[in-house]
Amino acid sequence: MTRIHISEVGPRDGLQSIDRVMPLEAKKAWIAAEAAAGVPEIEVGSFVPPSLLPQMADTADLIAFAKGLEGLAVAALVPNFKGAERAIAAGAEKISIPFSMSETHSLRNVRKDHAAMLAEIRAIAELVASRPADSRPHFEVGLATAFGCTIEGPVSEASVVRLAAAAIEAGAVEVGLSDTTGYANPAQVRRLVRAVKAEVGDGRLNTLHLHNTRGLGLANALAGLEEGITTLDASLGGLGGCPFAPGASGNIVTEDLVFMLEAMGYETGIDLEKLMKVRAIIADALPGEPLYGFTPDAGLPLGFGKVAA
């Protein structure tokens, strides 16, 4: 049975996309409940300046809390070298930096062009390498807007392949493909995963970060699985988007993704009934905030999880 690694990004990608700030204790309850349901990795926040995203101001506190949860890998997003320094000081076990394949989006999102971003990646890689082996976080570069951009439109697949290779050359352990704007389709996912893997190696591309903006999130996830992807980002209740990409709406719903994988015979290690109960924490802390997902609304099919004779 193939194991698929689910990385929950709601506490970061979901909460950065709404105006209200979830109280710290509610975030802790959310993270603890997902860990108890068997979610193996949670991106608990980002080290963006609080003046830009006050929703992320307590990320260091969340890392300290989450590291006390048994079996949970604790991840954080960093926009730059300074953010990486803060994440490493806080004890993050995985750090990811967004590297927009659309240069216009990169300038809008982190105020750096491609050359400046590659220099930033190299500096962070050197910082990570300077740490003792037992406190060295896993460093991933997320290739944002890899499938298209709401500002530029289509993004050249050849450019994505070239920039993926440049990120690896600059010292990233791996790259992930991010459908930041919800533009991807399954054929495009298959084509781009194959092309990037062919350039950087199978082991250097394991992750897809998908949005469900046009309803293709799960179809795109399945296409990625068929090309050897083993890690999928998702957000509880489909919270998420990108504040700097107009029209980019929610991530794929963690509950629906886990249901699809388990129904297909993949192993996730997640108790789906426990996972769906976590939604109540968000609903209580953020009353009126829309939560998405077909599986939580419909419930699990009779006999789900039982092997037919």
Side-chain angles (χ1 to χ4, degrees), residues 66-270:
K67 288 187 70 175
L69 300 173
E70 185 176 355
L72 181 66
V74 183
L77 182 137
V78 301
N80 50 35
F81 180 83
K82 185 175 180 179
E85 285 184 313
R86 293 173 60 202
I88 291 171
E93 295 160 345
K94 176 181 176 180
I95 59 175
S96 177
I97 186 170
F99 180 23
S100 296
M101 301 295 90
S102 156
E103 199 157 36
T104 307
H105 182 265
S106 185
L107 290 166
R108 185 83 59 90
N109 193 36
V110 293
R111 300 175 186 172
K112 288 183 174 65
D113 62 14
H114 285 163
M117 279 302 301
L118 286 168
E120 204 82 359
I121 290 166
R122 189 177 302 279
I124 294 171
E126 291 171 355
L127 174 66
V128 169
S130 73
R131 302 285 298 179
D134 61 353
S135 63
R136 193 177 296 160
H138 185 82
F139 177 38
E140 179 187 76
V141 171
L143 305 176
T145 66
F147 299 95
C149 173
T150 52
I151 305 168
E152 282 191 14
V155 172
S156 161
E157 293 182 9
S159 294
V160 176
V161 172
R162 174 178 57 81
L163 292 169
I168 294 296
E169 190 279 329
V173 174
E174 65 174 298
V175 294
L177 291 173
S178 297
D179 185 21
T180 313
T181 56
Y183 274 30
N185 64 70
Q188 186 185 19
V189 169
R190 290 192 186 93
R191 195 167 58 242
L192 194 54
V193 169
R194 286 178 190 172
V196 173
K197 279 179 171 282
E199 183 68 23
V200 304
D202 275 354
R204 299 285 194 173
L205 171 59
N206 302 297
T207 302
L208 286 181
H209 177 98
L210 301 168
H211 286 233
N212 197 42
T213 311
R214 292 170 179 82
L216 295 181
L218 291 182
N220 290 333
L222 183 56
L225 293 173
E226 291 170 348
E227 295 300 328
I229 291 296
T230 55
T231 296
L232 292 166
D233 291 354
S235 178
L236 196 81
L239 292 174
C242 177
F244 303 102
S249 55
N251 295 49
I252 53 175
V253 177
T254 308
E255 304 96 306
D256 288 346
L257 175 63
V258 172
F259 172 73
M260 181 186 80
L261 294 173
E262 294 282 344
M264 292 178 67
Y266 289 102
E267 181 184 353
T268 66
I270 296 171

